[in-house]
Amino acid sequence: MTNYHFPDQHGLFDQYGGRFVPETLVYALDQLTKAYRIIKKDRSFQRELAILLRDYAGRPTPLYHAKRLSQKVGGAQIYFKREDLCHTGAHKINNAVGQGLLTVRLGKKRIVAETGAGQHGVAAATAARLFGLSCDVYMGAEDVKRQALNVYKMKLLGASVIPVHSGSRTLKDATNEAIRDWVTHVDDTHYMIGSVVGPHPYPALVRDFQSVIGKELKIQMKKQLKKLPKALIACVGGGSNAMGFFYPLLSAKIKMYGVEAAGQGIQTKYHAATLGKGSVGILHGMRSYLLQNKEGQVLEAHSISAGLDYPSVGPEHALLKDLKRVTYTSVTDQEAVRAFHELTRTEGIMPALETAHAVAFAMKLVKRMNRKDSVVICLSGRGDKDIDTIRKFS
Amino acid sequence: MNALEKKIMQQHKQKKKIVCAFLTLGYPTLQATEKLIIEFDKLGVDVIEVGFPFSDPLADGPTIQASSDYALARHVKFQDAVRLGKRLRQKKCQIPLIFFSYFNPIHHHGVLPTARLLKQAGFDGVIIPDLPPDESKMYEKIFRKQKMSLVYLIAPTTTPLRSRWIAQKSKPFIYYVSLRGVTGARKQLDSRLAEQVRSLKRLTRKPVLVGFGISTEAHVKQVSRFADGIIVGSAIIKHLSKGQNRLKRTVLFMKRLLKAARTS
């Protein structure tokens, strides 16, 4: 992976990515691309961001050796990159603070965001307070129901949460509605997308803001581990925690696993395993893998975890799958819930249900590995928001 | 030159306003779509945009979204568009047809097979709202070979330089988006519209048709003062969405809009 320079100047990750958007948005995307190029090299921007990530978001997040869990499962040593300890409880804040600062640079006064589990919505609402912006969050009506805690948090933070009743009433539809809002208010509004999805430059922009995860890990690995970990494991919905976790380490000799939601099983209709079961298509401004029917209509995704309940995936993951650099696999609702309980009981860490997918797969993987080896899981978020879902499931 | 291009050129040369009507395929039924096209043709509508329903219509407001969902719930398929075109031609209805679709269904069936089937069915053009010219480079040739015109959109946010580029590529007319936003009937048109269309017309000789939000006879008259034609969608679908005699009322509504366009 030495010659890995994606996206290219057209925003393509080989055949994936691009900008499949209504003409009205092209100007805003050009403007954003230009700003993104500038801030990437702008020292004052990067310094300001680093300070905010440290003092406001609570970075760096620790790398934690889960000895009890490792012992219980048996096999390789399990480490967690503790994104759940970030301000607002998930990695989403990294991107929200970055894009918030960028919004100020763009001179815009309002942000719109989409949210599934509500973690990005809370992060966006938080960043809006930090930078004095007004904030509207679109959320599928189904998700409003199952993530009531986060909805209330957003309201406390002064954001308005707009329930979306169209389509599958989940993240996909919230994204449609956020884009429609942006098309309408493009002059004064920044669309703060929450994952490595959407039209160029978003997949690259969000990846770069999330890369702080992998960059910190690179340093922590050297200090805390005797040798390189054998594997990195992260859950993948849109794929932002995974991308930020993997990207700085793509050239290292480490296996990488992206874990999608298999819902009730990938042999059923009720799953969100886009990379596992989807085919190439176009949604939300990007070409990527997509769950779709014979007619090219987008299918509803299904997962117990709202954050993974998305029928497409970031275009860079599509490329990494094709390049076979990352192995994509999936975990069912049931396995994820079991892993949630396991981690809670053995380590006293309650992971988000999204993250529990990565934990479930890791528990299977390490069993076959040597005790002297190690794996690192991106513990992308904490699980308070999922308590009701967990309670109902059992 | 295909029938669509001929029609547009002819109207434009005679300085007649071009009227283009949008219908969601299969809304409320496939028979209704067919019947309406035949009626619209008789009235003198110049072009029909057959809107292919899509699960995620990003550029559309609630009216067309709802009609799309309705049609999809009744399993409207791509083959229905092909069948519709063929039946119309069999019935000697020769009105030029444009296939309006988001890119994914076309991409999924394959651009070449789609273009070929549409051409055989009597379609002469396509409008793909989420395929800006930057992304369509590799597909333009395919459409050209099938003698299918690709109509592009220009928006109020499009820079002059880019407008010139898109205007060169768009055939046989330019679809000017009247506002920042999604499709849907509006009470008022954007106050800057006249100036925007006039400056666009300074960049190109191609006819400029204005769409998005055109809902009343007054709008049609107003837009006809500076544009070469109009595209009406949501307002038609709204008439189709409720009440008794909805087909008849929709035809009457179209008749009034046409009159407004022809007399201005």
Side-chain angles (χ1 to χ4, degrees):
Chain A
M1 300 300 283
T2 40
N3 273 318
Y4 187 88
H5 300 289
F6 294 103
D8 68 13
Q9 54 170 338
H10 304 292
L12 292 174
F13 298 88
D14 193 32
Q15 63 156 319
Y16 304 108
R19 254 189 205 174
F20 298 86
V21 293
E23 175 61 28
T24 310
L25 294 178
V26 171
Y27 178 72
L29 290 169
D30 277 341
Q31 198 189 14
L32 186 62
T33 307
K34 216 185 273 171
Y36 159 65
R37 277 199 196 118
I38 294 170
I39 57 139
K40 239 183 137 169
K41 287 180 192 149
D42 179 349
R43 284 214 189 126
S44 76
F45 182 95
Q46 294 300 338
R47 199 180 310 125
E48 206 175 334
L49 178 60
I51 291 170
L52 284 170
L53 287 177
R54 186 191 68 196
D55 300 345
Y56 187 77
R59 304 207 70 91
T61 59
L63 179 64
Y64 168 67
H65 183 189
K67 286 183 191 150
R68 283 175 55 84
L69 185 67
S70 307
Q71 200 166 23
K72 183 147 190 221
V73 179
Q77 301 305 304
I78 298 170
Y79 284 79
F80 286 116
K81 178 67 177 150
R82 298 290 307 274
E83 293 301 300
D84 60 319
L85 295 178
C86 283
H87 182 41
T88 71
H91 71 289
K92 294 290 185 190
I93 194 74
N94 305 330
N95 170 50
V97 168
Q99 284 200 51
L101 198 55
L102 183 56
T103 307
V104 176
R105 287 281 172 112
L106 288 167
K108 294 186 170 180
K109 301 273 181 253
R110 172 177 178 259
I111 52 173
V112 283
E114 83 296 334
T115 196
Q119 287 304 98
H120 174 57
V122 169
T126 302
R129 292 285 68 82
L130 177 62
F131 298 107
L133 306 165
S134 79
C135 175
D136 290 320
V137 180
Y138 289 91
M139 189 168 187
E142 191 60 37
D143 293 337
V144 169
K145 247 191 286 169
R146 55 180 169 174
Q147 303 286 346
L149 179 68
N150 275 341
V151 173
Y152 189 57
K153 275 189 193 168
M154 287 184 263
K155 285 181 183 161
L156 288 176
L157 287 160
S160 34
V161 179
I162 305 160
V164 176
H165 294 276
S166 58
S168 56
R169 303 146 66 97
T170 60
L171 181 54
K172 160 180 93 87
D173 312 282
T175 307
N176 288 339
E177 217 47 58
I179 294 174
R180 289 183 188 120
D181 180 307
W182 193 34
V183 172
T184 310
H185 303 101
V186 62
D187 295 331
D188 66 346
T189 298
H190 172 66
Y191 177 25
M192 185 181 276
I193 214 163
S195 191
V196 287
V197 298
H200 178 65
Y202 282 108
L205 179 81
V206 177
R207 172 197 71 194
D208 289 351
F209 284 138
Q210 291 295 1
S211 287
V212 66
I213 307 172
K215 283 181 195 157
E216 286 176 8
L217 176 63
K218 225 171 162 176
I219 299 165
Q220 291 165 327
M221 266 170 16
K222 278 182 198 148
K223 278 190 195 158
Q224 292 177 242
L225 304 179
K226 290 193 183 77
K227 52 181 184 179
L228 280 182
K230 286 282 175 204
L232 303 185
I233 302 145
C235 63
V236 177
S240 71
N241 89 81
M243 226 34 254
F245 190 49
F246 296 157
Y247 183 66
L249 290 154
L250 281 177
S251 59
K253 275 196 173 156
I254 306 173
K255 280 195 177 164
M256 295 177 180
Y257 296 91
V259 186
E260 297 189 296
Q264 298 176 20
I266 52 169
Q267 71 288 353
T268 71
K269 279 187 196 165
Y270 305 100
H271 65 79
T274 311
L275 288 162
K277 299 281 279 189
S279 55
V280 177
I282 285 134
L283 181 71
H284 297 150
M286 61 178 171
R287 189 198 312 260
S288 184
Y289 279 75
L290 184 63
L291 296 177
Q292 54 189 329
N293 69 12
K294 274 189 212 153
E295 284 283 303
Q297 304 290 349
V298 181
L299 294 171
E300 292 178 15
H302 289 271
S303 169
I304 190 170
S305 120
L308 303 183
D309 208 345
Y310 183 63
S312 190
V313 64
E316 194 161 10
H317 285 293
L319 172 64
L320 291 170
K321 173 194 157 80
D322 287 5
L323 292 175
K324 297 193 166 68
R325 175 63 189 94
V326 179
T327 306
Y328 293 91
T329 172
S330 58
V331 153
T332 64
D333 289 349
Q334 206 168 11
E335 291 171 300
V337 171
R338 215 181 294 141
F340 170 94
H341 288 299
E342 191 75 280
L343 183 55
T344 305
R345 293 273 176 86
T346 51
E347 294 283 348
I349 296 174
M350 251 180 237
L353 270 175
E354 290 77 14
T355 315
H357 286 73
V359 177
F361 173 74
M363 282 165 38
K364 289 193 258 181
L365 182 75
V366 295
K367 274 186 193 158
R368 292 174 274 149
M369 294 171 65
N370 193 304
R371 291 188 53 166
K372 285 182 183 151
D373 289 330
S374 62
V375 304
V376 185
I377 303 169
C378 186
L379 217 167
S380 53
R382 68 176 185 225
D384 332 22
K385 67 184 177 66
D386 295 313
I387 300 293
D388 282 341
T389 312
I390 295 282
R391 189 188 291 138
K392 275 179 211 147
F393 192 84
S394 34
Chain B
M1 202 182 285
N2 63 38
L4 170 70
E5 290 168 5
K6 261 183 217 153
K7 178 82 175 193
I8 298 288
M9 223 184 68
Q10 180 196 332
Q11 293 293 97
H12 195 48
K13 260 193 185 160
Q14 295 175 9
K15 302 218 150 78
K16 275 191 190 160
K17 298 301 170 189
I18 300 157
V19 176
C20 178
F22 173 99
L23 290 167
T24 302
L25 177 67
Y27 183 76
T29 62
L30 286 164
Q31 291 92 318
T33 307
E34 185 181 319
K35 204 168 161 198
L36 281 167
I37 294 175
I38 292 169
E39 291 299 319
F40 283 5
D41 184 29
K42 282 185 199 154
L43 288 178
V45 171
D46 298 301
V47 179
I48 300 288
E49 242 183 82
V50 176
F52 187 65
F54 183 49
S55 53
D56 295 82
L58 264 188
D60 286 301
T63 308
I64 294 181
Q65 277 178 50
S67 69
S68 246
D69 287 346
Y70 188 95
L72 285 177
R74 278 151 193 78
H75 310 291
V76 168
K77 293 185 168 63
F78 177 71
Q79 270 307 322
D80 294 318
V82 173
R83 240 173 262 141
L84 172 75
K86 287 190 176 161
R87 283 173 65 98
L88 286 168
R89 297 318 185 217
Q90 273 164 13
K91 292 189 174 177
K92 304 290 172 223
C93 174
Q94 299 299 346
I95 191 166
L97 298 173
I98 295 179
F99 186 70
F100 174 102
S101 172
Y102 287 86
F103 192 41
N104 195 55
I106 297 175
H107 181 266
H108 191 67
H109 288 114
V111 176
L112 178 59
T114 306
R116 212 181 262 154
L117 284 170
L118 286 172
K119 187 71 196 184
Q120 285 164 8
F123 286 84
D124 283 323
V126 285
I127 298 176
I128 309 171
D130 58 347
L131 189 72
D134 323 60
E135 294 294 348
S136 68
K137 279 180 196 140
M138 55 198 284
Y139 307 116
E140 272 173 1
K141 243 192 224 159
I142 298 175
F143 286 112
R144 205 184 309 132
K145 268 200 177 156
Q146 299 296 323
K147 299 198 169 57
M148 292 278 277
S149 322
L150 252 176
V151 182
Y152 286 114
L153 291 84
I154 292 181
T157 51
T158 311
T159 61
L161 195 70
R162 188 174 161 84
S163 294
R164 196 189 298 260
W165 179 61
I166 297 177
Q168 272 167 12
K169 287 180 165 283
S170 189
K171 265 173 112 180
F173 62 87
I174 293 150
Y175 189 144
Y176 189 75
V177 178
S178 79
L179 45 82
R180 288 162 173 76
V182 291
T183 61
R186 305 286 202 285
K187 289 227 167 72
Q188 274 188 336
L189 298 175
D190 195 308
S191 57
R192 296 160 289 185
L193 182 60
E195 186 41 46
Q196 287 161 352
V197 173
R198 285 195 186 108
S199 33
L200 176 59
K201 285 182 68 68
R202 281 194 281 275
L203 301 175
T204 177
R205 281 188 189 162
K206 285 186 189 153
V208 176
L209 272 62
V210 173
F212 281 46
I214 311 251
S215 337
T216 64
E217 291 160 79
H219 290 167
V220 173
K221 281 190 181 155
Q222 198 183 330
V223 172
S224 294
R225 269 180 230 136
F226 46 82
D228 303 306
I230 51 142
I231 301 168
V232 189
S234 299
I236 296 175
I237 303 297
K238 249 189 169 169
H239 274 83
L240 274 175
S241 69
K242 53 190 169 210
Q244 285 179 322
N245 294 326
R246 45 192 183 175
L247 259 57
K248 209 169 170 187
R249 280 190 303 108
T250 306
V251 174
L252 285 174
F253 170 67
M254 197 64 232
K255 196 173 176 181
R256 290 201 302 274
L257 293 188
L258 258 177
K259 197 175 157 203
R262 298 291 188 238
T263 52
S264 39

